Amino acid sequence: GAEGAGFLIAQQRLGPGRIHHCMRWLGLCERGFDLMCQRAAKREIAPGKPLGTRQMVQQWIAESRAQIDAGRLYVQKAAWTIDTKGLYEARTEISCIKFFVANVLQEVLDRAIQVHGALGITEDTPLSHIWRHERGARIYDGPDEVHKHSVARRILKSYGLEVRSQSQGG
């Protein structure tokens, strides 16, 4: 690219890159979800009483399924917005999926680890490895807080409120 255009080129690659991260995170969510469900179905807390018979575990499974599916649909919407309206118009969706799916990943993995008990934090399952290596999802590629701030500023601007950043004395 032209001299001085590096930032623009980098910005153009960030949106599709974030979608890629989110798709990978959703795959990891599915892996954690499968492990959680397998454990809930097979681990007995008493003879003939699998862990999955407990309402809290059932709630975690239901919440995880809903969050993973919502994240998947949101990522598809962001990709569709890029395809139909362009990268600039998809900024809000891209920022939202980044922090939304990163949070879903953390919550699903945390539930899966909880269902596994102490086993979940050992190297005997992939859960602790995934959690350790993906906890950064809420930090890299822009901390979640920065994305939330940007989304809120764009939304409020559409309502006539200009919100200056904290560094600008706002």
Side-chain angles (χ1 to χ4, degrees):
E3 185 174 336
F7 182 74
L8 179 61
I9 292 169
Q11 288 297 105
Q12 290 172 336
R13 295 185 53 97
L14 281 177
R18 287 186 178 123
I19 287 177
H20 179 263
H21 284 308
C22 290
M23 291 182 332
R24 186 172 55 79
W25 296 336
L26 288 167
L28 292 170
C29 285
E30 290 289 357
R31 179 71 171 123
F33 182 79
D34 287 342
L35 290 169
M36 175 173 51
C37 292
Q38 289 168 10
R39 179 74 171 180
K42 292 190 172 40
R43 175 69 170 160
E44 290 188 349
I45 52 176
K49 294 278 186 189
L51 193 55
T53 62
R54 295 299 183 239
Q55 287 181 347
M56 180 58 69
V57 174
Q58 294 169 3
Q59 181 178 329
W60 291 341
I61 290 168
E63 288 174 349
S64 296
R65 179 75 276 147
Q67 288 176 311
I68 294 167
D69 290 349
R72 181 175 291 109
L73 289 171
Y74 209 175
V75 170
Q76 290 173 346
K77 181 182 186 270
W80 176 85
T81 304
I82 290 173
D83 287 346
T84 59
K85 298 180 182 179
L87 195 55
Y88 185 80
E89 292 297 320
R91 292 173 304 155
T92 296
E93 286 84 357
I94 292 166
S95 287
C96 284
I97 65 168
K98 191 276 177 191
F99 68 76
F100 183 82
V101 176
N103 190 58
V104 169
L105 174 64
Q106 186 173 344
E107 288 185 15
V108 170
L109 288 175
D110 187 65
R111 291 178 192 129
I113 289 169
Q114 193 71 17
V115 167
H116 280 77
L119 178 65
I121 58 173
T122 70
E123 294 303 313
D124 292 335
T125 75
L127 293 170
S128 67
H129 174 83
I130 296 170
W131 195 94
R132 277 192 321 274
H133 290 277
E134 299 304 329
R135 173 54 180 90
R138 294 185 46 225
I139 300 168
Y140 56 70
D141 224 8
D144 287 3
E145 295 79 8
V146 171
H147 285 279
K148 290 175 183 180
H149 177 71
S150 296
V151 167
R153 284 180 38 204
R154 281 194 293 275
I155 291 169
L156 290 170
K157 186 176 182 180
S158 74
Y159 283 88
L161 178 63
E162 286 287 332
V163 180
R164 298 181 341 185
S165 70
Q166 295 295 326
S167 62
Q168 295 172 332

